Amino acid sequence: MLVQGYAAGATTYELGDRFGIDRRTVSAILHQYNVPMRRRGLSPSQVDEAIHLYRLGWSLARVGEHLAVDPTTVLNRLQEHGIRTRDTHGRARS
């Protein structure tokens, strides 16, 4: 059912929610069944949206959840665009 859902276009996040498991577990199961993974990433307009939301004070986790990507993906795109990030207490990182 999980493999068929992914093949039908569901994301690992959607499948994780549907089955009550973490998206990394979904990925592990898909790899176990040799299912080719789609690379999601962020489109240029989504990067713009991520920058906007982050500047409004949203956390990396919240932006990632909103855009259905890992917070590390958001962090990487922000850094590529020269956006200074905050620590978990909202202070600018050095």
Side-chain angles (χ1 to χ4, degrees), residues 1-93:
M1 188 104 183
L2 187 140
V3 173
Q4 293 87 349
Y6 189 77
T11 67
T12 57
Y13 286 87
E14 292 166 344
L15 292 168
D17 288 344
R18 186 182 311 164
F19 291 98
I21 57 177
D22 188 82
R23 62 115 185 133
R24 290 175 289 237
T25 304
V26 172
S27 293
I29 292 167
L30 294 172
H31 281 109
Q32 192 175 17
Y33 285 91
N34 296 314
V35 175
M37 300 297 292
R38 299 184 299 267
R39 183 164 163 84
R40 171 91 165 79
L42 293 173
S43 69
S45 65
Q46 287 175 312
V47 172
D48 292 341
E49 182 178 5
I51 291 169
H52 174 72
L53 295 173
Y54 189 75
R55 286 183 170 156
L56 287 177
W58 287 32
S59 68
L60 293 171
R62 186 174 174 200
V63 173
E65 184 176 327
H66 176 73
L67 297 172
V69 295
D70 192 84
T72 305
T73 301
V74 176
L75 174 63
N76 291 338
R77 297 303 82 76
L78 293 178
Q79 289 175 335
E80 287 172 3
H81 285 78
I83 306 300
R84 288 193 67 189
T85 56
R86 304 178 297 269
D87 66 14
T88 56
H89 301 288
R91 298 179 297 240
R93 295 181 194 267

